[in-house]
Amino acid sequence: MTSEPITAEVLAVIVALVDGEPCVLTLPDAPRLPAGPVLPGHRSLQTAVRAWVEEQTGLRIGYLEQLYTFADRDREGGGRRTISVSYLGLVRGLRARSGQWRRWYGLFPWEDRRTDDALLHEVVAPALRDWAKTGDRARKQRCAITFGLDGRPWHPDLALQRYEVLYEAGLVAESPAQWRRDDLVPGERLDGDHRRIVATGVARLRATIQYRPVVFELMPSQFTLGQLQACVEALAGRVVHTQNFRRLVEQQQLVEETGGRAGTGGRPARLYRFRREVLQERQAAGTKLPAPRSR
């Protein structure tokens, strides 16, 4: 049996809000996520991923959690097998000296449901229905469930499953050439399977904000409730009901007023801060999203 060359690395999905939009950090000279091998001087995988991100982009990471291990055969091409242990990092501000911030919705435009649904209903859905005709009933049902078609609800945290359906349908640039279609859906490509890895991070973060207050890792030290709501909506890719959202935040006692005010062009808005002590006061604290506003 011929031995297969295997390499291992840590890889980072670093998320920040840039001009109010969720973005992921890629390398300055390639559409790839920061990554590198675990070296003898690294005390842990987390130490390794922090070191590589800082070396390649100059960015120091705050919040970091392990995401997933990607080990599919020939992920990078060239007949070699690379195992990537991925991490999700959240940062405030844009302290990277190099690298490029890429908008989530430039990579996955169908995931943004805050305003216009034309892309989903006029481009993505017809292409998926055309693909579903060539399969069994389960394929049609899978498309309906993941993309909220045929009266099904839209679930924000199915971002990875939606990308994988489009991949199998030959509708994204990363789909294998033997079944890739000419009418690809819009979306920027990343090298290898890095767009799939980002989709995994999007899905994880959208699920996590339902039960843990990690959204505050992306907020400045002081913010208005409007800014907090806009952040949650940007991450979830959908609009939430303002009164329900504010009631939920108040009920969970996640924030407190600072006494300051922020000029917003009209009546100055109250400034708040995250009550970090709430994590010690109770085990379960989060920013569960209220029902989306009907359109």
Side-chain angles (χ1 to χ4, degrees):
M1 179 181 294
T2 303
S3 61
E4 180 183 17
I6 298 177
T7 58
E9 65 178 6
V10 289
L11 181 148
V13 179
I14 307 300
V15 176
L17 287 181
V18 181
D19 297 328
E21 288 297 310
C23 296
V24 64
L25 184 65
T26 60
L27 298 182
D29 54 355
R32 298 179 60 82
L33 300 171
V38 180
L39 300 177
H42 295 148
R43 292 184 295 105
S44 65
L45 294 178
Q46 279 209 13
T47 300
V49 75
R50 291 179 188 276
W52 281 117
V53 171
E54 185 169 358
E55 177 176 324
Q56 294 172 354
T57 70
L59 183 69
R60 301 190 69 177
I61 311 170
Y63 176 90
L64 192 66
E65 69 171 81
Q66 191 167 325
L67 185 58
Y68 192 77
T69 298
F70 296 85
D72 294 349
R73 191 182 302 275
D74 204 29
R75 292 175 48 237
E76 297 293 327
R80 60 191 177 94
R81 189 169 193 174
T82 301
I83 298 174
S84 298
V85 181
S86 63
Y87 281 80
L88 173 65
L90 307 179
V91 297
R92 298 186 187 91
L94 310 176
R95 301 184 299 274
R97 67 170 178 265
S98 61
Q100 182 175 349
W101 291 105
R102 297 178 186 267
R103 293 176 54 252
W104 274 14
Y105 303 123
L107 298 170
F108 315 105
W110 57 85
E111 290 293 333
D112 191 356
R113 304 291 306 282
R114 289 172 293 177
T115 53
D116 188 6
D117 282 344
L119 175 64
L120 176 65
H121 294 300
E122 297 175 12
V123 178
V124 177
L128 287 174
R129 290 193 174 101
D130 185 52
W131 175 66
K133 291 177 184 177
T134 64
D136 56 15
R137 183 177 179 181
R139 178 180 288 185
K140 180 180 179 181
Q141 186 179 46
R142 184 182 174 205
C143 292
I145 292 173
T146 53
F147 282 87
L149 305 177
D150 302 331
R152 304 268 187 169
W154 174 270
H155 297 287
D157 56 350
L158 294 183
L160 173 60
Q161 289 89 329
R162 282 188 284 272
Y163 174 79
E164 289 181 335
V165 167
L166 294 173
Y167 176 91
E168 293 178 29
L171 292 170
V172 292
E174 295 89 344
S175 299
Q178 57 266 36
W179 73 72
R180 186 168 59 237
R181 294 170 43 154
D182 294 330
D183 54 340
L184 301 179
V185 299
E188 299 173 20
R189 179 176 185 170
L190 298 180
D191 284 353
D193 61 352
H194 284 205
R195 187 153 59 139
R196 180 185 178 220
I197 296 174
V198 176
T200 306
V202 172
R204 170 71 67 84
L205 187 51
R206 284 179 169 181
T208 302
I209 63 175
Q210 299 281 341
Y211 61 90
R212 289 177 57 195
V214 297
V215 64
F216 295 102
E217 300 293 340
L218 298 170
M219 300 296 297
S221 59
Q222 298 186 59
F223 48 83
T224 67
L225 292 184
Q227 291 170 334
L228 178 61
Q229 179 177 340
C231 176
V232 172
E233 290 179 334
L235 295 176
R238 63 174 184 171
V239 174
V240 300
H241 191 281
T242 298
Q243 291 181 338
N244 289 350
F245 176 82
R246 297 194 175 197
R247 186 180 304 116
L248 193 62
V249 171
E250 291 172 358
Q251 288 174 349
Q252 296 182 48
Q253 299 180 329
L254 293 171
V255 301
E256 64 182 6
E257 291 188 44
T258 66
R261 298 269 180 167
T264 57
R267 183 179 178 181
R270 296 176 180 176
L271 287 171
Y272 293 79
R273 74 170 183 90
F274 173 47
R275 294 182 61 242
R276 290 200 173 271
E277 56 269 27
V278 78
L279 301 178
Q280 301 167 347
E281 292 173 359
R282 63 183 190 275
Q283 292 288 328
T287 52
K288 185 177 181 181
L289 297 176
R293 182 181 301 162
S294 59
R295 295 199 295 263

